[in-house]
Amino acid sequence: MANAGDAVFDTVLTDALLADGNTVSIGIAAGRIAAIGAALPATREQVSLGGSLVLPGLVDAHVHLDKSLIGDAWQPHRAGKSATFSVMERVAIEAEVLARAAPVEQRAAALIELAVGHGTTHMRSHVDIDPVTGLKSLHSVLAVRERYKGVVSIQIVAFPQRGLTSCAGTFELMDEAMREGADLVGGLDPSGVDHDMHGQLDAVFGLAQRHDAGIDIHLHDAAAEGLAELDEIAQRSKALGMAGRVNVSHAYALGMVPKADAQRTAERLAAAGVSILTNAPGNHAYPSVLQLRAAGVTVIAGNDNIRDAWWPYGDADMLERAMLIGYGSGFLTDQELGVALDLATHSAARALGLDDYGVHVGAQADLIVVGARNVAEAIVARPVRSHVFKAGRLVARNGKFLGR
Ligand SMILES: [Zn+2]
């Protein structure tokens, strides 16, 4: 608890319930939390929260702003013809769907506004980079990021959706994407898609070194194959001193192998500082959140596909995603439900390298307010976000985006 002293606040939130059970006032000045105390001096902008719970802004650590069909006409999901799921078949279907869809700018803006209404204040978006798309989607997402910069902060991953070493011209485009504003280098199933684990990882880590950037790799490859890739990613990250800058999204393999095998790889990931993201898919094994955390791995959450050619579900709501992860993981206790929220808040902020995150004095005032008595109830009930603040500015009210 800081003392307010003579601080002058832009906004004071009163009757605010914190996750620790204390009811306080929160003074905001110059976009930051300037004081938290039992009573703060009155200011022009007083907002009584009526005892509602204040949480840090939600972090959606994995979206695809270029793929979502939110903001466009309803598109029924198109089933593939293959007996088993095929990434490349889905890519071909997606290309047909997106060719007739509204422009990326329109759909990405609609997704951002929906997400902000649900309290997302930071997101990491993958953007397709391939010889068909070129850098068009990247340019669109960069433009949308600029338009919404006061509302949500966005990291962009250059994502080789059609493969990297197996898709001629992609490496050069990824290099160009990194020069033009992408923040991280993406990857995709080095073995399953490129059939060349070392080749793709040489390219991904090489680009990351060249541009002094972090890495975020989609990894769906199964069981032993996927585990070998995770071990290799951990080894390379450690050798290059990239702790805290490498994330693997999905890492299904960790949920498909015997627990002892997953444990060995988890310890390697922890030692290398590689984080793991899950969205707890309903139709596939995924890593044990608690096993990874116990091993020291930072586990984070993201929505991934939201109403696009891959997946018809999703509402861009990270409280809902945290609930789905808790539901799928068998979380029941308040403490476990707190873990589910942590994946979408503090752990995600750490993995994404967000500075000054949280509900404490000095932190950026990215805050959400929900009518819940504690964190566990916020996850199970997912109440409408009554207020969403980005750097101290009210950007959504009662679930609705207020405008840029
Ligand atoms: Zn994805």
Side-chain angles (χ1 to χ4, degrees), residues 163-174:
L164 213 173
T165 58
S166 61
C167 188
T170 301
F171 180 85
E172 291 73 16
L173 283 165
M174 296 266 292

Side-chain angles (χ1 to χ4, degrees), residues 62-64 67 126 159 161 188 216 218 220 249-250 277 279 303-305 308 310:
H62 190 132
V63 292
H64 292 265
K67 294 180 186 288
H126 298 254
F159 176 47
Q161 174 71 82
L188 170 63
D216 198 322
H218 279 68
H220 316 88
S249 292
H250 306 311
L277 176 136
N279 67 337
N303 276 308
D304 199 3
N305 300 98
D308 59 19
W310 298 75

Side-chain angles (χ1 to χ4, degrees), residues 2-239:
N3 205 323
D6 295 326
V8 176
F9 307 116
D10 300 320
T11 306
V12 173
L13 310 179
T14 62
D15 204 8
L17 176 65
L18 299 181
D20 65 11
N22 286 309
T23 299
V24 298
S25 292
I26 300 173
I28 298 170
R32 293 189 173 268
I33 299 175
I36 298 177
L40 298 179
T43 190
R44 193 161 43 86
E45 188 76 22
Q46 297 267 133
V47 183
S48 173
L49 301 183
S52 287
L53 179 65
V54 176
L55 298 171
L58 300 171
V59 181
D60 193 336
H62 190 132
V63 292
H64 292 265
L65 285 171
D66 53 339
K67 294 180 186 288
S68 178
L69 295 162
I70 282 181
D72 200 355
W74 177 260
Q75 296 266 5
H77 181 77
R78 284 176 49 184
K81 293 187 173 63
S82 307
T84 54
F85 181 81
S86 152
V87 169
M88 285 311 148
E89 181 185 43
R90 187 52 47 190
V91 168
I93 292 171
E94 177 178 48
E96 290 176 22
V97 170
L98 291 184
R100 293 192 307 274
V104 170
E105 287 90 335
Q106 178 183 327
R107 294 181 284 106
L111 180 57
I112 287 170
E113 294 184 8
L114 187 65
V116 171
H118 292 313
T120 293
T121 54
H122 300 273
M123 53 171 69
R124 174 178 285 183
S125 177
H126 298 254
V127 177
D128 285 10
I129 305 291
D130 59 64
V132 180
T133 313
L135 299 180
K136 254 176 58 198
S137 293
L138 174 69
H139 292 153
S140 299
V141 173
L142 283 167
V144 172
R145 171 166 79 174
E146 181 64 22
R147 261 165 60 204
Y148 286 86
K149 68 181 177 191
V151 167
V152 62
S153 34
I154 301 174
Q155 297 178 349
I156 295 175
V157 185
F159 176 47
Q161 174 71 82
R162 292 169 189 256
L164 213 173
T165 58
S166 61
C167 188
T170 301
F171 180 85
E172 291 73 16
L173 283 165
M174 296 266 292
D175 193 26
E176 187 60 29
M178 295 307 296
R179 275 196 295 274
E180 293 200 17
D183 304 293
L184 296 105
V185 181
L188 170 63
D189 291 333
S191 300
V193 169
D194 279 348
H195 308 289
D196 182 4
M197 174 175 81
H198 288 287
Q200 186 184 117
L201 293 179
D202 284 349
V204 168
F205 280 87
L207 283 170
Q209 290 296 104
R210 183 182 295 179
H211 296 280
D212 188 22
I215 290 172
D216 198 322
I217 298 175
H218 279 68
L219 189 66
H220 316 88
D221 285 341
E225 183 177 61
L227 224 52
E229 291 170 280
L230 287 164
D231 289 343
E232 181 67 24
I233 290 165
Q235 201 211 309
R236 287 174 182 249
S237 302
K238 196 167 183 193

Side-chain angles (χ1 to χ4, degrees), residues 343-358:
L343 268 50
T345 52
H346 293 281
S347 279
R350 195 164 65 247
L352 266 56
L354 305 179
D355 295 330
D356 305 332
Y357 178 88

